């Protein structure tokens, strides 16, 4: 049985392995032991805070566990750019007109901005290759079940950066056309700088004026808003939730930044809290659904057969053990996404 739970310090070796396997582009899951340890400690502190007012620097890190092994991870940043601005490109249209020449041109431009600073961010997603769709869905959506149960900890808007296009050698056509000209660093090098140093270096070195897209090489133009094949599965999961590719792009590789109103996401809007009853033989209408307990530091979520009858959620003993619940406790239930 797959189970999602908050990360522990003892998970560090497993998270290092996942970070290395995640490859290029997942900057929120750095292949850096010291940074990963810091993230784990930050997450532990966030889960230990019983009362949260406004969202701040809290970072919640989860792992997907199967048979005692950690096989996936995903995180929530309560407020993107809490310490420093969260930079992205805003895709816009500029109008250049001349009455005398009777010319009116609409030109695609990119403007650097920090509009998304302060939004909730889903990040750090990775599951081992070969795991089925159900495992990926549980890993991704367990975060939203947690948010639904701890709604006061999070703001109104939510985002998720999708990895953009790059090749196996780490060459990003978007980065090569823009960022490389100002940083004189390869895409892989700037990724390391992003992990190791303050993000203010982006504002210090990147151009503050508009980037005129028609002046970029064709390969860079074609990469704008595209999603790396490795991220297509998680992108579908998020789009089925209600996320949309808005007018924002990742500042490094030009990948799409998905945005949504948090309360309109299906898991948040449609999941329901019920008292739980545990029995070996479930009612006939039981079906496979996502279910989580309603605890904080002991949060857990799994996929299990659930029957909701007269407002009571019936689950079997295996699911109860995975969630750490007893009859009379409350659980949150959400239907699976349709394929």
């Amino acid at each position: 049985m797959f189970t999602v739970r908050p990360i522990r310090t003892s998970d560090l070796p497993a998270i290092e392995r996942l970070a290395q396997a995640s490859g290029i582009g997942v900057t929120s899951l750095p292949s850096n032991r010291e940074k990963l340890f810091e993230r784990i400690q930050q997450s532990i502190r966030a889960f230990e805070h019983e009362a949260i007012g406004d969202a701040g620097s809290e970072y919640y890190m989860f792992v997907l566990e199967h048979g005692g092994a950690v096989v996936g991870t995903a995180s929530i940043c309560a407020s993107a750019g809490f310490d420093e601005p969260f930079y992205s490109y805003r895709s816009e249209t500029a109008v250049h007109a001349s009455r005398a020449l009777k010319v009116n041109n609409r030109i695609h431009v990119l403007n650097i901005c920090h509009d998304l600073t302060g939004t909730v961010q889903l990040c750090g997603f990775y599951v081992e290759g070969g795991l089925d769709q159900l495992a990926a869905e549980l890993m991704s959506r367990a975060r939203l079940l947690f948010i639904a149960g701890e709604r006061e900890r999070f703001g109104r808007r939510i985002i998720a950066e999708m990895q953009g296009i790059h090749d196996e050698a780490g060459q990003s056509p978007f980065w090569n056309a823009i960022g490389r000209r100002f940083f004189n660093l390869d895409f892989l090098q700037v990724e390391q700088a992003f992990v190791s140093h303050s993000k203010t270096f982006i504002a210090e070195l990147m151009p503050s004026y508009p980037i005129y897209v028609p002046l970029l090489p064709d390969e860079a133009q074609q990469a704008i808003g595209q999603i790396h094949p490795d991220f297509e599965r998680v992108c579908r999961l998020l789009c089925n939730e209600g996320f949309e590719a808005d007018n924002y792009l990742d500042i490094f590789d030009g990948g799409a930044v998905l945005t949504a109103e948090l309360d309109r996401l299906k898991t948040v809007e449609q999941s329901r809290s019920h008292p739980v009853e545990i029995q070996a033989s479930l009612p006939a209408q039981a079906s496979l659904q996502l279910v989580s307990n309603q605890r904080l530091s002991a949060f857990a979520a799994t996929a299990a057969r659930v029957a909701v009858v007269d407002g009571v959620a019936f689950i079997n003993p295996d699911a109860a053990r995975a969630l750490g619940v007893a009859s009379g406790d409350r659980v949150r239930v959400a239907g699976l996404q349709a394929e």
Side-chain angles (χ1 to χ4, degrees):
M1 177 175 282
F2 288 98
T3 306
V4 171
R5 59 166 174 80
I7 199 165
R8 304 168 186 150
T9 303
S10 59
D11 296 321
L12 179 58
I15 293 300
E16 279 189 284
R17 174 177 52 80
L18 294 177
Q20 292 171 359
S22 69
I24 302 165
V26 189
T27 54
S28 51
L29 190 61
S31 185
N32 180 305
R33 184 181 181 85
E34 182 180 340
K35 291 296 179 182
L36 288 173
F37 181 77
E38 289 178 7
R39 294 270 173 90
I40 292 172
Q41 298 310 306
Q42 184 181 3
S43 176
I44 291 171
R45 290 193 297 271
F47 279 107
E48 288 176 347
H49 286 177
E50 292 293 339
I52 296 288
D54 294 333
S57 60
E58 294 81 31
Y59 189 85
Y60 304 90
M61 199 169 182
F62 303 83
V63 295
L64 178 67
E65 196 173 50
H66 181 61
V70 171
V71 295
T73 184
S75 301
I76 308 167
C77 178
S79 180
F82 177 77
D83 297 320
E84 299 171 318
F86 181 90
Y87 289 100
S88 57
Y89 275 124
R90 185 176 58 240
S91 182
E92 299 178 320
T93 299
V95 177
H96 290 239
S98 169
R99 288 186 178 181
L101 298 178
K102 297 182 179 179
V103 171
N104 188 296
N105 287 330
R106 298 169 64 85
I107 302 173
H108 186 188
V109 299
L110 305 178
N111 279 300
I112 193 169
C113 71
H114 47 83
D115 297 356
L116 302 178
T117 296
T119 55
V120 183
Q121 183 186 12
L122 298 185
C123 53
F125 178 91
Y126 181 75
V127 295
E128 287 185 348
L131 293 183
D132 61 20
Q133 179 73 8
L134 179 60
E137 181 173 342
L138 173 61
M139 182 74 266
S140 180
R141 295 181 63 204
R143 296 174 293 181
L144 300 179
L145 286 171
F146 177 78
I147 288 173
E150 300 287 342
R151 187 64 189 87
E152 71 282 358
R153 292 173 173 261
F154 302 96
R156 183 177 60 85
R157 296 182 69 202
I158 187 168
I159 63 170
E161 291 182 303
M162 296 292 100
Q163 187 180 132
I165 299 299
H166 59 75
D167 62 23
E168 293 182 356
Q171 294 298 312
S172 162
F174 185 84
W175 173 258
N176 288 341
I178 302 176
R180 184 182 174 87
R181 298 179 181 274
F182 296 90
F183 282 74
N184 197 29
L185 295 172
D186 288 333
F187 185 60
L188 292 176
Q189 292 174 310
V190 81
E191 266 205 333
Q192 291 302 314
F194 183 76
V195 169
S196 305
H197 302 290
S198 167
K199 299 174 187 176
T200 56
F201 75 86
I202 300 174
E204 293 168 350
L205 293 177
M206 288 295 277
S208 59
Y209 46 80
I211 302 296
Y212 283 76
V213 173
L215 299 179
L216 299 178
D218 289 345
E219 192 178 14
Q221 293 187 45
Q222 292 165 8
I224 291 175
Q226 297 303 304
I227 296 169
H228 192 279
D230 290 348
F231 264 57
E232 287 178 355
R233 179 163 67 170
V234 68
C235 183
R236 286 195 299 271
L237 286 168
L238 295 176
C239 289
N240 286 340
E241 277 290 334
F243 281 87
E244 295 180 342
D246 204 344
N247 297 321
Y248 297 97
L249 305 171
D250 182 90
I251 197 168
F252 293 141
D253 58 22
V257 179
L258 307 183
T259 66
E261 293 294 317
L262 201 155
D263 288 322
R264 298 185 67 180
L265 295 178
K266 290 179 182 177
T267 300
V268 176
E269 186 177 33
Q270 298 176 10
S271 65
R272 294 291 181 267
S273 174
H274 303 280
V276 69
E277 192 66 39
I278 302 163
Q279 57 185 47
S281 180
L282 298 179
Q285 62 266 51
S287 62
L288 189 62
Q289 301 186 63
L290 300 186
V291 56
S292 71
N293 65 23
Q294 296 202 230
R295 295 174 184 161
L296 185 56
S297 60
F299 175 82
T302 191
R305 290 180 58 79
V306 182
V308 178
V309 180
D310 296 329
V312 176
F314 290 84
I315 62 175
N316 65 32
D318 287 342
R321 280 191 292 272
L323 297 174
V325 296
S327 292
D329 291 341
R330 297 193 73 85
V331 295
R332 183 168 292 275
V333 179
L336 292 176
Q337 290 184 358
E339 288 291 338

